[in-house]
Amino acid sequence: MKAIRVVAPGGLDRLEFVDIADPGMPGASEIRVRIHATSLNYHDLIVADGRKPVGNRRIPMADGAGVVEAVGSQVTEFAVGDYVVSTFFPTWLEGAPTVGDFSTVPGDGVDGFAVEYVVRAASSFTHAPKGFRHVEAATLTTAGVTAWRALVVDAAIKAGDTVLVLGTGGVSIFAMQLAKSFGANVIATSSSDAKLERAREIGADHLINYNDQPDWCKEVITASGGCGVDIVVEVGGPGTLAQSIKSCRIGGHIALIGVLTGGAGPVPTAAMMVRQQTLQGLIVGSREHQRQLVRALDSTGVRPVVDAVFPLENLAEAFRVQDKAAHFGKICVEF
């Protein structure tokens, strides 16, 4: 069967497209899945290009969607022919966070989903939303669940809230769509007017080009009626956090998701304290969070925004497109 592997010390030119042994049939509590799609995330990129070292010849990609081909004797949740999607933390099923590293994450601590067939514990998957194509379902594992947890689980979003999303990557677009489905108002930022217009088309209420307005927090305050937003989906990290704090209302919630501007930096703690805000760090979510998201998508009709689709053998090219940050929503691989 076909697979992509990361050859240490990493680098997109060192991704190898290979034939490897078939995983065989599932054990009692396992399922065999024919993987048809995966989607690209920042975490996958830094694994593939070597910035985050992993085991030599690791199969990358945290997200996987496909069809169940066989089920173990003790599996009752899935049947042959079911469309399924993988989970980010296979051992975190529900409840409070139980994982503080990437040792169990597919494509990092264990082999991922840039491969045609896998045999995994049944609890490592959930059903895909009804009617979703595999490329759509593959966007849920990381980006979709992250946005769901940030808005619904941690921030308890409600109708009438105002949400600030930074940029137009996968998590931000998912957050925008989910916020609108809850009846919230959305303020979106980007460096591209063209991307902002696309954000308007999917429901963004106010658009800010942060190249034109470097102190974009002032525009956020104005757009939110002078008091600041209820929720910030913060994907930038230290380079944007100070303005996110200024953009958020007194008692508001900041979901710290990304580190696109760096892994460490100063935090204006006094400003946060005075404004009595909650800063919640998070990495994706549990299997139960993913099941909640799937139910929500089934009921709301929200569909992921897929910007481009590549074949498996062109995964390195897909990563290069991602690294240029020219995409809107998700980049996927289908095979």
Side-chain angles (χ1 to χ4, degrees):
M1 65 176 183
K2 300 297 184 181
I4 297 284
R5 295 193 299 199
V6 179
V7 179
L12 299 182
D13 292 333
R14 292 173 62 81
L15 292 178
E16 57 178 15
F17 184 52
V18 295
D19 281 302
I20 62 174
D22 187 280
M25 298 305 289
S29 60
E30 296 176 326
I31 59 176
R32 174 185 169 94
V33 180
R34 168 60 163 98
I35 301 299
H36 284 283
T38 183
S39 75
L40 279 62
N41 302 286
Y42 179 72
H43 177 253
D44 301 306
L45 172 62
I46 64 174
V47 166
D49 69 12
R51 280 178 282 174
K52 189 179 191 305
V54 296
N56 189 31
R57 288 181 165 77
R58 171 71 71 230
I59 296 173
M61 310 308 289
D63 303 353
V67 181
V68 176
E69 287 201 338
V71 300
S73 60
Q74 297 178 8
V75 175
T76 59
E77 186 175 357
F78 301 106
V80 173
D82 284 352
Y83 279 33
V84 295
V85 57
S86 65
T87 59
F88 191 85
F89 290 117
T91 60
W92 180 18
L93 303 184
E94 59 184 351
T98 59
V99 186
D101 58 31
F102 294 91
S103 61
T104 63
V105 173
D108 191 325
V110 298
D111 281 337
F113 294 101
V115 62
E116 290 183 302
Y117 298 92
V118 299
V119 172
R120 304 284 169 89
S123 58
S124 299
F125 290 86
T126 70
H127 288 283
K130 296 179 179 65
F132 268 40
R133 296 178 295 127
H134 295 303
V135 290
E136 294 176 313
T139 68
L140 305 187
T141 299
T142 302
V145 174
T146 299
W148 177 264
R149 182 181 168 195
L151 293 177
V152 182
V153 179
D154 292 345
I157 190 174
K158 60 186 182 299
D161 280 349
T162 299
V163 177
L164 170 65
V165 299
L166 305 185
T168 54
V171 173
S172 296
I173 295 302
F174 250 121
M176 187 184 307
Q177 293 175 290
L178 291 172
K180 295 304 297 182
S181 75
F182 274 84
N185 302 303
V186 173
I187 301 172
T189 72
S190 174
S191 61
S192 164
D193 287 337
K195 288 183 179 181
L196 288 172
E197 283 306 312
R198 292 187 66 183
R200 188 194 302 277
E201 291 172 3
I202 62 172
D205 300 284
H206 194 91
L207 312 173
I208 301 173
N209 187 315
Y210 58 77
N211 277 348
D212 295 339
Q213 302 180 65
D215 293 328
W216 45 265
C217 60
K218 296 178 181 178
E219 181 66 21
V220 173
I221 293 296
T222 300
S224 59
C227 61
V229 301
D230 300 283
I231 305 167
V232 181
V233 180
E234 168 55 78
V235 299
T240 53
L241 183 55
Q243 291 211 57
S244 289
I245 290 170
K246 294 177 183 177
S247 299
C248 191
R249 68 166 171 82
I250 295 171
H253 183 98
I254 303 171
L256 182 60
I257 292 166
V259 290
L260 297 179
T261 62
V267 177
T269 51
M272 277 197 68
M273 180 181 66
V274 169
R275 296 179 71 78
Q276 302 181 68
Q277 296 163 339
T278 299
L279 178 65
Q280 172 73 56
L282 69 146
I283 299 177
V284 195
S286 69
R287 183 177 191 262
E288 177 56 27
H289 295 153
Q290 183 162 307
R291 294 177 71 234
Q292 292 170 2
L293 171 62
V294 170
R295 290 195 295 269
L297 296 176
D298 281 338
S299 64
T300 62
V302 169
R303 303 293 283 255
V305 176
V306 176
D307 187 82
V309 180
F310 293 79
L312 182 61
E313 59 268 28
N314 290 352
L315 179 59
E317 180 185 348
F319 276 127
R320 291 187 179 98
V321 172
Q322 179 194 20
D323 200 27
K324 294 177 182 177
H327 59 290
F328 181 92
K330 295 293 291 182
I331 298 172
C332 295
V333 167
E334 188 173 34
F335 48 100

